[in-house]
Amino acid sequence: MSGIVVHLPQGSGGADGEPGGGAVTLRLGPGEVARFGRGSSATPVELRLADEAISRLAGEIRVTDDHWQLTNHSTTQSYVVENPEGAGEYLRVSPRRAGAPIPFEFSRVVLPTRRGTTVSFQVFAPDHVYLDPPGAGGSWASRTVTAYSLDETATYFLVLVALCEPWLRDQSPVAVPTTPQVVERLRGHATGGRLTARAVSSHIDYLADEKLRIGLAAAAPDPGAGGGTSGADRRNGKRDAVVGLALRFGIVREEHLALLPPRAEAGARGR
């Protein structure tokens, strides 16, 4: 795996040493560590969790070559790691547990508080690799792994299918669906129907930056078009690049349209 992405939502505490509670996103490579907790001047942490029930140094995340580990520094509280993409799977990390391996590709780390709620942050572990299909034969050294390792049951893949749908239905689109259009298209889906615009944008970023590994140059608009590059331009360029690569290499195909909820338009048909 190339590393992990850790995301702390806005209002949960923010980065240590910074005022307010802005969202924080960390990218960690193999061998790197990020600590989380309430923090202090004597106990710096990379993820500051603003609740008096959380230890100054609550735990740490360590990235290895093929997974990530969670250490719980608390002497009294267990932490829960959920799989938001699954059917309620979770694992409990006991107090003082060191280096618990986390198997989920997308995880939510949840810590208890005294307010009747919880504090949580998300961890994306990209680049899970898959071998050739059974029966391919050959030694381990001769096996081939997939270039783009995507889980077709994951929510990010559902978002990708929604972005690619107009091309797969031969609608001759002039633009990639916008984030609000994706939110509306997935309304009524068992899991995707709960997505917000912010969540859809996060999944697009994850696809572009981690799963499909689209470089900034590929995702940015053509500088020769004139003018500066705004945040909206960069996001539009990223969506265009994600769709272009997914269709070019057949990552999303016509049969994947069955993952989407039924379309509202009468008489709509696929290719």
Side-chain angles (χ1 to χ4, degrees):
M1 60 190 290
S2 61
I4 68 172
V5 176
V6 184
H7 178 72
L8 179 67
Q10 185 173 4
S12 299
D16 196 23
E18 296 182 2
V24 178
T25 300
L26 301 176
R27 300 180 185 277
L28 305 175
E32 294 186 312
V33 175
R35 295 161 296 182
F36 59 89
R38 195 150 42 102
S40 69
S41 57
T43 310
V45 292
E46 284 71 36
L47 293 174
R48 182 170 54 84
L49 307 178
D51 190 274
E52 63 274 10
I54 296 176
S55 305
R56 295 291 184 184
L57 178 58
E60 68 179 39
I61 294 167
R62 181 179 297 274
V63 185
T64 71
D65 288 334
D66 58 2
H67 67 281
W68 64 279
Q69 302 172 341
L70 180 66
T71 294
N72 182 354
H73 286 298
S74 173
T75 59
T76 58
Q77 298 286 357
S78 293
Y79 304 152
V80 172
V81 183
E82 301 174 340
N83 177 14
E85 304 281 69
E89 297 96 340
Y90 72 92
L91 60 87
R92 184 183 301 110
V93 182
S94 304
R96 301 177 63 190
R97 173 72 160 92
I102 308 301
F104 308 134
E105 184 175 10
F106 176 29
S107 305
R108 181 185 295 116
V109 180
V110 184
L111 286 72
T113 71
R114 292 174 58 94
R115 298 172 294 174
T117 60
T118 57
V119 171
S120 66
F121 56 87
Q122 300 163 340
V123 181
F124 296 84
D127 294 343
H128 286 196
V129 295
Y130 298 87
L131 297 173
D132 284 336
S139 65
W140 175 270
S142 69
R143 294 292 181 91
T144 304
V145 297
T146 58
Y148 300 109
S149 179
L150 278 71
D151 180 359
E152 294 184 5
T153 67
T155 304
Y156 65 74
F157 191 82
L158 185 68
V159 170
L160 181 58
V161 175
L163 288 171
C164 296
E165 181 183 27
W167 279 264
L168 295 174
R169 294 195 187 276
D170 269 349
Q171 294 179 347
S172 301
V174 295
V176 176
T178 65
T179 296
Q181 288 172 335
V182 172
V183 172
E184 182 62 29
R185 180 65 184 92
L186 297 180
R187 196 178 307 279
H189 189 276
T191 56
R194 299 192 297 268
L195 288 174
T196 63
R198 182 183 296 273
V200 168
S201 294
S202 296
H203 282 295
I204 293 172
D205 288 341
Y206 180 56
L207 283 163
D209 300 338
E210 305 299 333
K211 303 304 292 184
L212 302 179
R213 302 182 298 280
I214 294 172
L216 294 178
D222 181 2
T229 303
S230 68
D233 288 337
R234 286 191 296 271
R235 184 161 298 281
N236 290 339
K238 182 175 289 188
R239 287 190 289 112
D240 291 344
V242 163
V243 170
L245 189 146
L247 294 173
R248 169 187 263 185
F249 288 100
I251 297 169
V252 178
R253 301 178 297 279
E254 191 173 343
E255 60 262 31
H256 292 129
L257 293 174
L259 298 172
L260 299 174
R263 301 175 69 203
E265 296 86 357
R269 61 180 180 88
R271 177 176 298 178

